[in-house]
Amino acid sequence: MIDGGFWSMGGYARYVWPCIGFACVVLAWNLWSARRFYAAARVRAIRALAMKDSP
Amino acid sequence: MWTWFYRLASPPYVYRVTALLAPWFLGFAAMAIGYGLIDGLVFAPRDYQQGDAFRIIYVHAPSAWLSLFSYTSMAIAGAIGLIWRIKMGHAVAAASAPIGASFTLLALVTGSLWGKPMWGTYWAWDPRLTSELILLFLYIGVISLRPAFEDPGRGDRAAALLAIVGVVNVPIIHYSVLWWNSLHQGATVAKIGKPSMPGSMLWPLLSMLLGFMLFYGAVLCMRLRGEVLNRERQATWVREAIKS
C-alpha cells in the first residue's frame, strides 16, 4: 500500500508532508511545554514551602 | 450537579482530578490521531478535484476547529472567573491560551500550504483567513496581558475581559464563508443535513477531530496543574500534594 506514489502524494508531497510534519511539531511542543511548565511550577512551590519553613 | 460544579472551584480537587485524567486523555488521543492519520493518509481515496492535496484536511480542519473551541473555552472560563470570582476559572483560561494559540498557528500554516496548490497563493486577505489571523493576535494579546500587571488578580481580570470581547470573532470566523465572498470552501462536516464527504474520507477526519480534542484535554490538564501550583504555592495542601 505504501509505495512511491504514497510518498509523492500525487505530486503534492511538498505541501502535504510539511503540514503533517508541522502538526507533529505542534503536538510535541504542546506536550514538552506543558511538562516544563508544570515542572517549573513544582520547583517554585517547593522553594516557597522551604522559605516558609525556614526560621 | 451544583456540588460537582462547586468542586471544580477547589484547587486541591482540580489538582488531583487533572492528574488522573491527563494520561487517559493522552492515551485515547494517541489512538485516535494514530488511526486518523493512517486511515486518512493511506486508505482514504483521492479527492476527484484536489487529488492527494486534500489530505491536508486531516490536520488543517481539526486544528482550525480546536482554535475556535479553545478560544470559546478560554472566554467561558474567564467569564466564570470574572462573574463568580472563581480562581480556577482564570487558571483554566490561562492554561488554555497557549494551546489555542499553537493550534491557530497550525491552522494558518497548513491552510497556507493547502492554499498554494489550490488557489495559487500562500496567502490572500480573504475573510476566513483574515479573521483566523485576528484570532491568533487575540490569543497573543491574552497571553501577553496577564503578566503585564504586577497584581496577578488584575492581570487575570484584564485577560478575561479581552477574551470575552474577542469571542465575537468566533462566529465571524465560522460564518465568514457564508457572509462574504470567500476563496475558502464552505462547511464540509458541520453541514445541516448531510456532510459533503463519503464515509471513507469522513471517518478519519472525525477520528482526528476527536484525537485533537482529547489531546487538548490532556495538555490542558497538565498546564492546569502548573497553574494551580503557581497560584496556590503558599497553601498548606500543596505540601502534601507535592510529596505524593
Side-chain angles (χ1 to χ4, degrees):
Chain A
M1 184 61 74
I2 298 178
D3 52 11
F6 170 76
W7 295 112
S8 69
M9 281 284 157
Y12 293 110
R14 76 177 116 156
Y15 304 109
V16 177
W17 293 119
C19 287
I20 305 298
F22 189 59
C24 292
V25 167
V26 168
L27 293 176
W29 176 83
N30 268 293
L31 274 182
W32 173 79
S33 69
R35 278 178 191 273
R36 193 164 161 263
F37 180 71
Y38 172 70
R42 198 167 180 274
V43 168
R44 274 195 293 270
I46 290 168
R47 278 198 198 133
L49 288 170
M51 278 179 71
K52 211 172 156 185
D53 291 342
S54 64
Chain B
M1 192 254 175
W2 287 108
T3 319
W4 174 81
F5 183 75
Y6 285 122
R7 264 193 195 169
L8 288 179
S10 156
Y13 179 77
V14 169
Y15 187 81
R16 212 172 48 245
V17 166
T18 48
L20 292 172
L21 288 177
W24 287 99
F25 280 154
L26 201 58
F28 285 117
M31 281 195 270
I33 292 172
Y35 162 75
L37 267 186
I38 292 168
D39 204 13
L41 293 179
V42 181
F43 298 108
R46 245 180 220 122
D47 183 74
Y48 80 106
Q49 280 182 320
Q50 301 191 23
D52 283 310
F54 101 94
R55 295 181 203 280
I56 293 172
I57 200 173
Y58 295 114
V59 287
H60 175 71
S63 55
W65 201 82
L66 193 56
S67 70
L68 300 183
F69 178 81
S70 174
Y71 194 91
T72 311
S73 310
M74 183 176 76
I76 292 171
I80 289 171
L82 269 185
I83 297 164
W84 285 289
R85 294 176 187 271
I86 294 174
K87 278 191 287 183
M88 284 301 97
H90 292 303
V92 170
S96 192
I99 313 170
S102 67
F103 280 97
T104 308
L105 182 67
L106 178 59
L108 285 166
V109 170
T110 54
S112 174
L113 282 164
W114 197 359
K116 180 64 181 167
M118 295 301 121
W119 304 334
T121 179
Y122 286 109
W123 183 263
W125 293 102
D126 172 89
R128 172 61 71 87
L129 277 67
T130 310
S131 51
E132 186 74 11
L133 182 65
I134 292 169
L135 186 76
L136 179 65
F137 293 152
L138 280 166
Y139 271 121
I140 293 169
V142 169
I143 293 167
S144 316
L145 197 57
R146 187 167 278 108
F149 290 83
E150 263 187 55
D151 173 16
R154 284 185 70 191
D156 278 339
R157 287 193 294 278
L161 206 62
L162 178 60
I164 293 164
V165 171
V167 87
V168 72
N169 192 38
V170 171
I172 291 175
I173 294 171
H174 185 74
Y175 291 108
S176 57
V177 287
L178 301 174
W179 291 343
W180 297 289
N181 285 326
S182 177
L183 279 171
H184 199 283
Q185 68 186 63
T188 309
V189 178
K191 262 169 107 171
I192 298 168
K194 201 166 178 264
S196 55
M197 271 180 127
S200 52
M201 290 174 168
L202 185 64
W203 283 114
L205 180 59
L206 293 177
S207 180
M208 288 296 283
L209 279 170
L210 177 69
F212 271 46
M213 287 294 295
L214 289 166
F215 183 83
Y216 168 76
V219 178
L220 183 72
C221 285
M222 290 157 75
R223 280 197 165 269
L224 192 51
R225 296 191 84 211
E227 281 291 338
V228 170
L229 280 187
N230 275 341
R231 287 155 193 264
E232 295 284 311
R233 69 178 86 128
Q234 302 290 343
T236 44
W237 69 267
V238 170
R239 189 186 305 272
E240 289 304 314
I242 282 176
K243 273 183 197 163
S244 60

